[in-house]
């Protein structure tokens, strides 16, 4: 669980990528096991990519060409502009 007492802003073209444990201790992480708890808002820039389940206090704004492997739950609004969302 990632907790943010403020906002989460992801720059254009940035990616959050889940990487397998290289020590041999486990398999690849799953987006369904990653939770982002955000007290403010989430702003995903153009062509950015995120992984996980987002629980957002206010709003989520995913700009054109961005993508998410996960889910978005926000109390106020979710804005998707030509966004690809894949359920984990």
């Amino acid at each position: 669980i990632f907790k943010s007492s403020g906002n989460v802003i992801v720059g254009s073209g940035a990616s959050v990528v889940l990487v397998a444990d290289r020590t041999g201790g486990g398999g690849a992480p799953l987006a369904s096991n990653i939770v982002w708890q955000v007290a403010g808002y989430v702003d995903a820039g153009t062509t950015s990519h995120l992984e996980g389940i987002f629980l957002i206090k206010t709003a989520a704004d995913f700009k054109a060409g961005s993508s998410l492997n996960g889910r978005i739950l926000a109390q106020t609004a979710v804005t998707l502009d030509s966004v690809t969302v894949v359920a984990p």
Side-chain angles (χ1 to χ4, degrees):
I1 298 175
F2 294 100
K3 291 185 178 183
S4 170
S5 60
N7 304 317
V8 172
I9 300 170
V10 181
S12 295
S15 294
V16 172
V17 180
L18 304 180
V19 179
D21 180 3
R22 294 184 180 174
T23 64
L30 303 173
S32 59
N33 292 335
I34 307 299
V35 177
W36 299 76
Q37 182 180 351
V38 182
Y41 64 86
V42 172
D43 185 355
T46 58
T47 68
S48 62
H49 176 76
L50 296 170
E51 304 258 346
I53 299 167
F54 285 81
L55 307 175
I56 306 164
K57 178 73 174 172
T58 58
D61 185 13
F62 281 69
K63 305 265 188 317
S66 60
S67 60
L68 170 69
N69 180 15
R71 300 180 191 281
I72 309 166
L73 299 126
Q75 288 186 351
T76 306
V78 175
T79 304
L80 306 174
D81 180 13
S82 301
V83 175
T84 301
V85 178
V86 177

